[in-house]
Amino acid sequence: MNLDLLKEKSDKMTTKDWQNWHSIKREIQNLIEGIDGLKTDRAKNKRRTKIESLLNQANEIYPLNY
């Protein structure tokens, strides 16, 4: 994404937007770190789906760096 567009999007974000974005990122991090502890493939797949959903939410608020 163009840096000017990122700056513009960043400037429009409120404190609440940033708090929400960081909260989602923390939740994603915790889910990723805990995935190896899951015993069944069904649980792991469910976790992956949740992570993907949260990544999409965070990316809509402000693009994530991959």
Side-chain angles (χ1 to χ4, degrees):
M1 190 176 248
N2 185 321
L3 286 179
D4 290 334
L5 289 174
L6 284 177
K7 175 146 179 44
E8 184 180 324
K9 188 160 183 113
S10 174
D11 290 344
K12 289 181 180 176
M13 287 181 58
T14 65
T15 301
K16 187 163 178 66
D17 291 336
W18 281 117
Q19 288 172 341
N20 188 28
W21 186 75
H22 283 287
S23 173
I24 293 170
K25 275 184 61 177
R26 261 191 312 278
E27 186 175 353
I28 293 167
Q29 184 73 33
N30 289 337
L31 291 172
I32 290 171
E33 289 172 357
I35 204 165
D36 289 335
L38 299 175
K39 292 182 177 25
T40 66
D41 285 340
R42 184 174 188 276
K44 288 179 183 180
N45 288 335
K46 198 170 179 183
R47 177 77 57 101
R48 285 185 189 104
T49 301
K50 175 74 172 171
I51 291 168
E52 188 175 317
S53 171
L54 289 171
L55 283 170
N56 287 333
Q57 280 181 39
N59 208 37
E60 285 178 24
I61 295 170
Y62 187 80
L64 296 163
N65 293 328
Y66 292 98

